[in-house]
Amino acid sequence: MHWLLTLLLLALLNRVEALSSCGNRLLVVADDDAEKEKYTVLWSDLESRGYRLAFESPKNDKLSLFQHGERAFDHILLLPTKAKGLGPSLTPNILLQFINNNGNILLTLSSESPVPSTISSLLLELDIHLPPDRTSLVVDHFKYDVISAEEKHDVLVLPKPSPLRSDVRNYFGGSGVVAIPKAVGQELGSSSPFLTPILQAPETAYSYNPKEEAETVEDPFAVGGQIALVSSMQARNSARFTVLGSVEALQDAWFDRAVQTSGGKAVKTSNRAFAKHLTAWTFMEIGVLKVGRVEHHLSTISESKSNNSSVAQLGYLNPKIYRIKNDVTFNIELSEYSMDHLSPFTVAPSDKLQLEFTMLSPFHRLELHPIATTLNTTIFSTTFRLPDQHGIFAFRVNYKRPFLTNVDVKREVTVRHFAHDEWPRSWMISAGWVWIAGIWVTVAGWVAFVALWLWSEPAYERSQGKKRQ
């Protein structure tokens, strides 16, 4: 009976475990309890997904993100603070170290609270630029909420984000609108391949300082699509950093609230669903790729009567050495973690998963095709002939796309020359038949010449008389 209760307890513990693929310890940095009360629905949603929330003040000197050289938390949610800094435990260097140790951060901003210098320095390290006056906000005189922002036009009502490109997954889209009140716009640097905007401002929006009491804004910080209202950064180690320009979008007051644009009808906001998708992606509940088995082996390709080629395995799996011009098959299993389970990974129709067979540079770059699907994985495969070059090569799958964790798999092998007994015989090479015929013609001509010379005796003339002295 005790063992049965133990199993039931373990099952319950597994059920309440966080959906995140990298841990459930979430640190929430907020000024005071009054600030936390504005986000009760968000805390309830996070706890229902298995997160263990720890609330700390940025002024707490005993706060530490690391214990014994390891992360004390898996994720951080930074709410806006009125202080100029975040204390000695949340300096830019420590936060960057947290990211380098595979920690995830969701940073929220608000035009109601000046951005601390610590946050500005951290964002500059990541090539994310904020307005220099620290109190700017984004307004739009066309796509605003006429109910709550009839005069200031600082509550943007926008549809959910659309895909950036046809080959990029969209984890934040869907039907409905999102209300973005009092947002701080960000401008992303063009030189960083790790930055991706999640939600951009419409073309009619601009960022300005409301303290400048002027009828017109001559030199705004950014306009239109230059402004990112929600932006993301995924590091080389796949750690995620998200900047939400409007913390008010996460408050209870804006979940399922009625909003109305100029000339439109009143609708309910989808802020709660958007907040779920945003936190799920930042805390690695979605968009996480897992690599299963990686195999390569010798193959033989046979043609059938219907002109369909079939590949059969030769030898054992994952040999350390191959020979030039061998036929080789490479297989890799990929899964996608989605909320609470692994599912087979599918490549977008306009995208390709590729294999590189490389030394210093790729000798082959081939598309990997799905050949089989299991309950939670997809097997991708390709067969090719090794180049006529010996050396140390590597099978490499380098798949990096926005909103998906990076896949970089390498398997090194040695490619050797033909052995002495592996070269094809000369009579099997059609190009050598001319030279072989020339050899035999020379031999035959020499034999004929010798025979003719031996059988052809020279004629001698007989003398008519005796010699005279």
Side-chain angles (χ1 to χ4, degrees):
M1 187 67 181
H2 291 290
W3 64 269
L4 182 59
L5 292 175
T6 303
L7 289 177
L8 289 175
L9 181 60
L10 290 175
L12 289 174
L13 290 175
N14 289 332
R15 289 292 297 172
V16 300
E17 193 68 23
L19 302 181
S20 174
S21 60
C22 60
N24 63 347
R25 300 171 297 176
L26 174 59
L27 171 64
V28 181
V29 180
D31 272 340
D32 48 35
D33 294 337
E35 188 71 17
K36 294 187 296 184
E37 293 300 323
K38 300 177 181 178
Y39 309 92
T40 56
V41 178
L42 177 64
W43 310 144
S44 176
D45 288 347
L46 290 172
E47 289 175 345
S48 67
R49 282 148 55 189
Y51 288 98
R52 293 185 296 164
L53 275 62
F55 295 92
E56 294 289 348
S57 171
K59 303 176 182 178
N60 186 3
D61 296 334
K62 297 182 179 179
L63 174 63
S64 178
L65 302 184
F66 299 92
Q67 290 182 359
H68 310 294
E70 298 294 333
R71 294 195 325 266
F73 304 96
D74 302 307
H75 320 282
I76 299 177
L77 174 55
L78 293 171
L79 296 179
T81 177
K82 297 178 181 179
K84 293 184 179 180
L86 296 180
S89 301
L90 297 172
T91 63
N93 288 337
I94 293 178
L95 292 174
L96 288 176
Q97 184 181 355
F98 183 80
I99 295 174
N100 291 333
N101 282 269
N102 300 312
N104 307 303
I105 299 177
L106 174 57
L107 171 65
T108 59
L109 304 173
S110 174
S111 62
E112 296 292 316
S113 301
V115 180
S117 58
T118 300
I119 298 301
S120 299
S121 301
L122 173 64
L123 295 179
L124 284 176
E125 290 285 343
L126 304 177
D127 205 13
I128 301 176
H129 305 273
L130 297 180
D133 46 41
R134 301 175 58 199
T135 57
S136 291
L137 80 159
V138 179
V139 298
D140 192 324
H141 301 304
F142 296 90
K143 298 181 180 180
Y144 65 94
D145 180 25
V146 298
I147 300 175
S148 61
E150 186 177 2
E151 295 182 359
K152 296 184 177 181
H153 303 175
D154 57 354
V155 179
L156 277 63
V157 179
L158 306 175
K160 285 188 176 181
S162 57
L164 293 177
R165 302 192 306 265
S166 59
D167 61 336
V168 174
R169 297 287 186 92
N170 184 17
Y171 294 102
F172 315 98
S175 58
V177 296
V178 181
I180 308 294
K182 300 177 174 59
V184 177
Q186 311 115 49
E187 189 174 14
L188 307 184
S190 59
S191 60
S192 176
F194 309 108
L195 297 175
T196 307
I198 294 177
L199 179 62
Q200 293 176 292
E203 295 298 326
T204 51
Y206 62 93
S207 177
Y208 86 109
N209 186 1
K211 293 183 179 180
E212 298 177 359
E213 297 181 358
E215 295 183 358
T216 60
V217 179
E218 296 182 356
D219 190 15
F221 168 72
V223 296
Q226 299 174 347
I227 304 173
L229 302 174
V230 185
S231 55
S232 66
M233 190 280 299
Q234 185 166 263
R236 298 181 193 273
N237 60 356
S238 297
R240 292 171 174 176
F241 181 88
T242 303
V243 182
L244 173 60
S246 171
V247 70
E248 289 82 3
L250 302 179
Q251 294 178 357
D252 301 345
W254 290 97
F255 284 180
D256 299 324
R257 181 168 175 169
V259 293
Q260 182 180 354
T261 57
S262 178
K265 297 181 179 179
V267 294
K268 296 286 187 180
T269 64
S270 301
N271 283 37
R272 186 172 184 178
F274 181 73
K276 178 181 179 181
H277 296 155
L278 187 66
T279 54
W281 183 85
T282 305
F283 301 149
M284 286 195 169
E285 297 177 46
I286 54 178
V288 180
L289 298 183
K290 299 288 186 180
V291 179
R293 292 184 299 174
V294 179
E295 299 174 347
H296 53 87
H297 55 80
L298 283 172
S299 300
T300 177
I301 304 176
S302 58
E303 297 288 341
S304 62
K305 294 181 179 179
S306 57
N307 294 328
N308 293 326
S309 58
S310 60
V311 179
Q313 177 181 340
L314 295 177
Y316 53 90
L317 290 174
N318 303 329
K320 297 296 184 182
I321 187 168
Y322 288 102
R323 194 204 68 203
I324 61 174
K325 297 185 178 180
N326 273 150
D327 291 326
V328 176
T329 296
F330 179 87
N331 300 326
I332 185 172
E333 289 186 355
L334 286 179
S335 305
E336 182 178 359
Y337 186 81
S338 178
M339 300 305 287
D340 60 350
H341 65 281
L342 289 173
S343 59
F345 174 65
T346 57
V347 181
S350 57
D351 194 12
K352 290 183 179 181
L353 179 67
Q354 293 181 325
L355 167 70
E356 293 180 352
F357 191 69
T358 177
M359 188 186 288
L360 296 176
S361 59
F363 277 67
H364 290 295
R365 185 177 284 118
L366 307 165
E367 182 178 358
L368 288 165
H369 301 278
I371 60 170
T373 302
T374 64
L375 185 62
N376 52 15
T377 63
T378 302
I379 303 175
F380 295 87
S381 178
T382 187
T383 300
F384 64 100
R385 178 159 292 179
L386 298 182
D388 189 4
Q389 173 69 43
H390 71 285
I392 305 299
F393 285 82
F395 297 97
R396 186 180 185 187
V397 178
N398 186 17
Y399 186 75
K400 296 177 181 177
R401 299 293 185 274
F403 307 130
L404 289 174
T405 54
N406 300 326
V407 174
D408 193 355
V409 177
K410 291 180 70 174
R411 296 292 186 270
E412 288 190 353
V413 293
T414 301
V415 178
R416 62 173 177 84
H417 271 305
F418 281 99
H420 293 295
D421 58 350
E422 290 179 328
W423 293 97
R425 302 296 91 186
S426 58
W427 57 81
M428 298 176 62
I429 304 175
S430 59
W433 291 350
V434 176
W435 310 103
I436 295 173
I439 291 172
W440 287 108
V441 167
T442 303
V443 171
W446 172 252
V447 171
F449 170 76
V450 171
L452 183 62
W453 185 77
L454 290 176
W455 294 101
S456 299
E457 181 181 0
Y460 297 100
E461 295 182 0
R462 293 183 179 182
S463 60
Q464 298 295 329
K466 294 181 179 181
K467 268 187 177 181
R468 294 183 180 179
Q469 294 184 351

